[in-house]
Amino acid sequence: MLETTPPPRWQRRPDERPDEILDAALEVFGAQGFAGARLEDIARQAGVSKGTLYLYFDSKEALFRAMVRARVVSVLEEGERELLHAKGDTRTKLALLMRRIWAVVGDPSMARIIKLVHGELNNFPELARFYFDEVILRVRALGLGVLAQGVAAGEVRPEQALFAARAMPSMLVMGSKMLHFFAPLDPAPLTADAIIDGTIDLVLNGVLPRDAGTGR
């Protein structure tokens, strides 16, 4: 039986190319940072010419925005739909939300993009504003929505809701950094499961009502 090899990328259908370019952008931006990444490198990683890349994205900034929308915002949109139809109490919905956030920030490729965002985007104010509006505020709004439902149902202490909506993604982002960048240096590194389970437990014990008799 003769072995077959997959066709080279440039023989694939044109409608596949944008996704391949976005995958390549995720890898190259993550490895080289925004300032260091070159469109030539992204085109090479995607297996297309630089001219072909320009047919879909007219600048590095446009490509970065498209990559974030396709690889981050799309996952958040799935989370919004999932939470809209989710059943159960606030505890259940908050756990679901945190697992959805972890699905983004816990991915090794996205951990490198988060590192880029925190380390470089202050030098690119328009991209920083774009990321803040489309990712950070969107995640915060998801958290605030679930927590507001919990406050209305008497399941969440209202004084903790505003802080918790900011704390949840921050804790998970830091957990991802520790997992992917510092684990080799840590004498007792946490696993991905320990990070997400520990964050869920810590947040829930911080926002749910205390036992009136014990103060806990």
Side-chain angles (χ1 to χ4, degrees), residues 40-201:
E40 297 94 320
D41 299 329
I42 296 171
R44 187 180 306 111
Q45 177 76 16
V48 300
S49 69
K50 187 177 177 182
T52 298
L53 186 151
Y54 272 114
L55 293 176
Y56 300 97
F57 308 101
D58 60 9
S59 67
K60 189 164 67 169
E61 290 78 6
L63 180 52
F64 181 83
R65 291 170 187 262
M67 183 271 295
V68 169
R69 287 180 174 132
R71 300 297 179 261
V72 182
V73 176
S74 64
V75 179
L76 297 179
E77 289 173 344
E78 290 175 12
E80 289 169 345
R81 291 190 291 269
E82 195 172 14
L83 284 166
L84 181 65
H85 301 290
K87 306 296 183 184
D89 58 10
T90 302
R91 177 187 296 270
T92 300
K93 292 179 180 179
L94 281 174
L96 176 63
L97 171 61
M98 284 184 273
R99 291 191 184 281
R100 175 58 67 179
I101 296 171
W102 182 253
V104 178
V105 304
D107 179 84
S109 296
M110 282 312 306
R112 294 195 293 271
I113 296 299
I114 291 168
K115 181 181 176 183
L116 176 163
V117 168
H118 289 176
E120 285 192 72
L121 283 200
N122 61 310
N123 297 320
F124 304 94
E126 290 186 4
L127 288 182
R129 170 53 63 184
F130 157 77
Y131 191 89
F132 190 82
D133 289 345
E134 299 219 9
V135 177
I136 295 174
L137 289 183
R138 194 160 196 159
V139 172
R140 185 182 299 173
L142 276 171
L144 287 171
V146 174
L147 289 161
Q149 293 175 20
V151 170
E155 296 173 343
V156 169
R157 290 184 292 129
E159 68 272 18
Q160 281 294 80
L162 290 176
F163 177 76
R166 292 161 170 78
M168 285 186 290
S170 296
M171 291 167 65
L172 292 169
V173 164
M174 182 54 68
S176 179
K177 287 183 175 181
M178 294 300 297
L179 177 67
H180 295 300
F181 302 132
F182 296 107
L185 307 175
D186 193 334
L190 295 177
T191 65
D193 286 342
I195 291 168
I196 181 62
D197 291 343
T199 303
I200 290 172
D201 183 70

